[in-house]
């Protein structure tokens, strides 16, 4: 009898320990290649399951955008950067297909061009009758501020800046820190060494939002993860967005220190980050576009575990659609997780095992249970 009671107590204890392990997040990953790291790195309880999401897609109303003469003024790198500019281009490509837009002009900023060159580009486009003119990147802020008042009947939009206060200028801004938080959670769950890295392109307030969210996400999932955190160039030196060689060197250095998952917010320089991850037997997280599917980084796609989606394509398309309808008030003030303005990519199936975790954290951010800072907390 006493032996039977002891066996029962032992069994109950084992079941209790198993339950605690499940609640604490141990063994959350079903993927055999990542199961051990969850127990060794992730220290936070798994978030509550997210409720079924309602659709946030536009209504099926047919909108005619054929009268729009669209001009895209790209930031450095232009179409083909596998990141920020390509996402903007995808928005206009969709507008061609779904809104009937036929006229689109594209031009690209040079790496070291001055404000006069940017202003001249916008001035020429406006003089040629393009409307709207979409300036892709905060580097155009001064130029838009100078040129837009000269052409009050021309519509302008600027991505990543809301400092220009003019009735014919629409800001398209994002909650990059929210999407990057989810990238940080993914990094913590996928790291076998509990050691991750962040590579920023240029040390600006905008890229600091990516950094801030990533750091907070890693720390939310793990109290013991080690984080490498560096930039390629200081503020003012925009070469950090298109220097793959420098991205390779910086990421390789982080990997040599032990980081086995590296997240970049470095534009075209991210190609070098991916190459370093592949050479160093590490994983990488892309940015802006679903970089797993980008042709320019196809050689490294096997190490891209996910990408933080900054839906510039959604913002550009929604702006063109709203403009064609004559109702810009329908646009959100900020493209955040709630409107799917940011998010994460699932291509390649490498995060299928933690999708419920990411969606749980997303739900907490959307509800306000978690507030993500846009300033790095180191």
């Amino acid at each position: 009898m006493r032996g039977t009671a002891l066996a029962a107590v032992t069994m109950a204890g084992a079941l209790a320990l198993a339950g605690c392990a499940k609640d604490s997040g141990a063994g959350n990953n079903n993927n055999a290649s990542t199961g051990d790291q969850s127990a060794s790195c992730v220290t936070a309880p798994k978030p509550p399951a997210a409720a079924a999401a309602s659709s946030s897609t536009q209504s099926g109303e047919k909108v005619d955008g054929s009268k729009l003469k669209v001009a895209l003024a790209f930031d450095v790198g232009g179409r083909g950067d596998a990141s920020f500019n390509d996402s903007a281009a995808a928005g206009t490509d969709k507008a061609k297909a779904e809104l009937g837009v036929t006229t689109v002009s594209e031009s690209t900023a040079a790496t070291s061009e001055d404000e006069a060159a940017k202003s001249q580009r916008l001035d020429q486009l406006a003089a040629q009758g393009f409307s709207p003119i979409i300036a892709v990147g905060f580097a155009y802020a001064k130029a838009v501020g100078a040129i837009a008042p000269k052409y009050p009947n021309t519509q302008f939009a600027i991505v990543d800046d809301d400092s220009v206060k003019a009735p014919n200028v629409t800001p398209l801004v994002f909650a990059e820190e929210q999407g990057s938080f989810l990238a940080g959670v993914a990094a913590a769950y996928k790291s076998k060494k509990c050691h991750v890295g962040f590579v920023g392109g240029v040390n600006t307030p905008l890229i600091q939002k990516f950094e801030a969210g990533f750091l907070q996400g890693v720390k939310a999932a793990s109290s013991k993860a080690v984080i490498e955190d560096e930039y390629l160039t200081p503020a003012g030196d925009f070469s950090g967005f298109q220097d793959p060689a420098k991205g390779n060197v910086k990421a390789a250095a982080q990997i040599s220190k032990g980081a086995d998952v590296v997240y970049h917010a470095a534009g075209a320089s991210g190609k070098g980050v991916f190459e370093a991850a592949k050479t160093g037997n590490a994983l990488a997280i892309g940015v802006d576009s679903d970089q797993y599917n980008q042709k320019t980084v196809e050689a490294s796609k096997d190490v891209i575990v996910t990408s933080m989606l900054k839906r510039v394509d959604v913002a550009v398309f929604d702006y063109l659609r709203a403009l064609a309808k004559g109702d810009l008030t329908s646009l959100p003030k900020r493209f955040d997780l709630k409107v799917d303005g940011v998010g994460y990519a699932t291509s390649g199936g490498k995060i299928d095992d933690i999708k419920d975790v990411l969606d749980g954290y997303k739900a907490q951010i959307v509800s306000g249970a978690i507030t993500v800072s846009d300033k790095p907390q180191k």
Side-chain angles (χ1 to χ4, degrees), residues 27-38 189-190 192 305 348-354:
N28 285 339
N29 295 335
N30 296 321
N31 189 313
S33 65
T34 56
D36 291 342
Q37 60 79 36
S38 178
Y189 269 80
K190 289 297 175 179
K192 296 179 181 179
V305 65
K350 301 181 190 310
I351 57 167
D352 287 354
D353 56 319
I354 60 168

Side-chain angles (χ1 to χ4, degrees), residues 19-369:
C20 289
K22 182 177 180 182
D23 292 342
S24 68
N28 285 339
N29 295 335
N30 296 321
N31 189 313
S33 65
T34 56
D36 291 342
Q37 60 79 36
S38 178
S40 64
C41 190
V42 175
T43 58
K46 183 177 176 180
S54 59
S55 173
S56 61
T57 58
Q58 295 269 12
S59 68
E61 177 189 358
K62 182 69 175 177
V63 175
D64 180 12
S66 60
K67 294 181 180 179
L68 299 179
K69 291 184 64 178
V70 182
L72 271 180
F74 286 125
D75 203 349
V76 293
R79 184 188 279 264
D81 71 342
S83 186
F84 185 74
N85 292 297
D86 268 354
S87 188
T92 55
D93 291 345
K94 184 178 180 182
K96 289 180 181 179
E98 298 187 16
L99 305 179
V101 172
T102 58
T103 304
V104 178
S105 171
E106 297 181 358
S107 55
T108 302
T111 302
S112 58
E113 75 176 20
D114 57 17
E115 291 296 335
K118 289 182 174 61
S119 294
Q120 183 179 27
R121 178 179 298 109
L122 300 185
D123 199 354
Q124 289 177 342
L125 291 169
Q128 291 167 5
F130 286 98
S131 181
I133 297 170
I134 303 173
V136 186
F138 64 87
Y140 279 100
K142 289 184 180 179
V144 171
I147 301 303
K150 292 178 58 179
Y151 298 92
N153 295 321
T154 298
Q155 290 294 327
F156 292 80
I158 181 167
V159 177
D160 282 346
D161 182 85
D162 58 3
S163 67
V164 183
K165 309 300 181 184
N168 60 331
V169 177
T170 300
L172 303 175
V173 293
F174 302 82
E176 294 91 350
E177 69 280 4
Q178 292 184 357
S180 295
F181 180 101
L182 301 182
V185 171
Y189 269 80
K190 289 297 175 179
S191 176
K192 296 179 181 179
K193 299 179 181 178
C194 211
H195 196 155
V196 302
F198 171 80
V199 175
V202 182
N203 195 347
T204 63
L206 173 64
I207 305 303
Q208 287 170 10
K209 292 171 69 179
F210 292 85
E211 176 193 15
F214 180 73
L215 297 181
Q216 189 174 339
V218 172
K219 294 173 184 177
S222 174
S223 61
K224 59 183 182 180
V226 176
I227 308 174
E228 304 296 332
D229 182 11
E230 298 174 280
Y231 283 87
L232 300 181
T233 58
D237 180 358
F238 293 103
S239 67
F241 289 133
Q242 57 171 25
D243 192 340
K246 187 173 288 186
N248 189 315
V249 170
K250 188 69 72 174
Q254 294 188 354
I255 293 168
S256 70
K257 292 178 182 177
D260 62 355
V261 184
V262 181
Y263 172 48
H264 88 87
S269 299
K271 182 177 181 181
V273 174
F274 296 145
E275 291 168 347
K278 185 165 186 175
T279 300
N281 196 31
L283 297 174
I285 297 176
V287 77
D288 295 337
S289 302
D290 184 353
Q291 297 201 282
Y292 182 88
N293 291 322
Q294 288 285 350
K295 292 294 184 183
T296 55
V297 294
E298 188 173 17
S300 303
K301 68 185 297 181
D302 55 317
V303 303
I304 302 175
V305 65
T306 184
S307 295
M308 193 291 278
L309 299 179
K310 177 175 173 177
R311 301 304 302 271
V312 179
D313 57 332
V314 169
V316 168
F317 176 81
D318 285 359
Y319 168 69
L320 294 175
R321 190 178 190 279
L323 197 60
K325 286 183 64 177
D327 182 17
L328 289 174
T329 63
S330 63
L331 290 175
K333 297 298 182 183
R334 196 165 71 130
F335 289 84
D336 57 12
L337 280 175
K338 188 173 185 178
V339 298
D340 292 325
V342 293
Y344 65 91
T346 59
S347 296
K350 301 181 190 310
I351 57 167
D352 287 354
D353 56 319
I354 60 168
K355 190 176 183 301
D356 59 334
V357 173
L358 299 179
D359 287 345
Y361 277 111
K362 174 183 175 179
Q364 290 191 331
I365 294 170
V366 169
S367 72

